[in-house]
Amino acid sequence: MEVKHFLRQARYLDQEINANIREKEQLYSTLQKIPKLRLDAVQESRKNSLDDTYVKIIEMGDEIDQKIDRLIELKKEIKRIINSIEDTRYRIVLSDYYLAMNTWEEVAEINHWSYPHTMRLHGQALLEVNRILKDDTK
């Protein structure tokens, strides 16, 4: 697996989880806006439909929880690889971007580095991760 792809998995999964959460919140918000009807027969039919919708929203929450569990495990694995790097700067740049989910600009600002220096460190750090991943497969 390509090094960047390996490291980006957590970012992508985090983004997917956030999109799923927004979708769930939007559906729940829309559901709350449905006007109440007064007719008993219609209410009973509608109640069952609404109950089904609430169950689907709860199921979405369960799926999100499962993805969060996968994200935690994935971050642990990425953290294990990052922590095996000797150079502290490499660990910082990789952790700040791939685990803390900062942008490259934020990584540079947080660490008081220039953007080009941050990207240079990132390139060097990727070489280290590649070396570690190759050693792990031996």
Side-chain angles (χ1 to χ4, degrees):
M1 179 183 300
E2 183 188 329
V3 174
K4 282 186 183 180
H5 178 72
F6 170 73
L7 295 170
R8 284 184 181 152
Q9 291 178 93
R11 286 186 75 86
Y12 295 149
L13 186 53
D14 186 67
Q15 291 168 344
E16 180 183 357
I17 289 167
N18 288 327
N20 291 159
I21 289 170
R22 287 189 303 272
E23 179 184 1
K24 179 184 167 207
E25 288 171 348
Q26 191 274 331
L27 288 172
Y28 186 76
S29 175
T30 301
L31 190 61
Q32 295 303 309
K33 295 175 186 175
I34 295 175
K36 306 273 190 256
L37 295 178
R38 303 232 185 263
L39 301 173
D40 289 339
V42 174
Q43 281 184 334
E44 187 59 35
S45 168
R46 186 169 193 187
K47 181 179 182 288
N48 291 338
S49 176
L50 289 176
D51 288 348
D52 291 345
T53 304
Y54 277 113
V55 168
K56 289 176 185 174
I57 290 173
I58 290 169
E59 289 171 350
M60 283 180 77
D62 292 343
E63 290 172 11
I64 291 167
D65 290 344
Q66 290 172 0
K67 288 179 182 180
I68 290 170
D69 290 343
R70 280 201 333 258
L71 178 61
I72 291 168
E73 290 305 312
L74 186 55
K75 281 188 167 189
K76 279 182 180 175
E77 177 62 17
I78 292 170
K79 187 71 171 170
R80 182 186 69 77
I81 299 294
I82 290 173
N83 284 341
S84 64
I85 297 172
E86 250 183 75
D87 193 309
T88 304
R89 298 168 307 156
Y90 298 169
R91 291 194 310 267
I92 291 169
V93 75
L94 294 173
S95 293
D96 281 352
Y97 183 75
Y98 294 107
L99 298 175
M101 309 299 171
N102 292 305
T103 65
W104 287 120
E105 292 79 6
E106 291 168 335
V107 173
E109 184 179 333
I110 290 166
N111 294 293
H112 308 286
W113 297 330
S114 69
Y115 181 83
H117 181 66
T118 302
M119 299 314 294
R120 197 169 26 258
L121 287 174
H122 176 249
Q124 294 165 342
L126 289 178
L127 293 173
E128 281 298 304
V129 172
N130 192 42
R131 183 188 57 76
I132 291 165
L133 290 176
K134 282 183 179 178
D135 288 347
D136 278 358
T137 58
K138 287 183 181 178

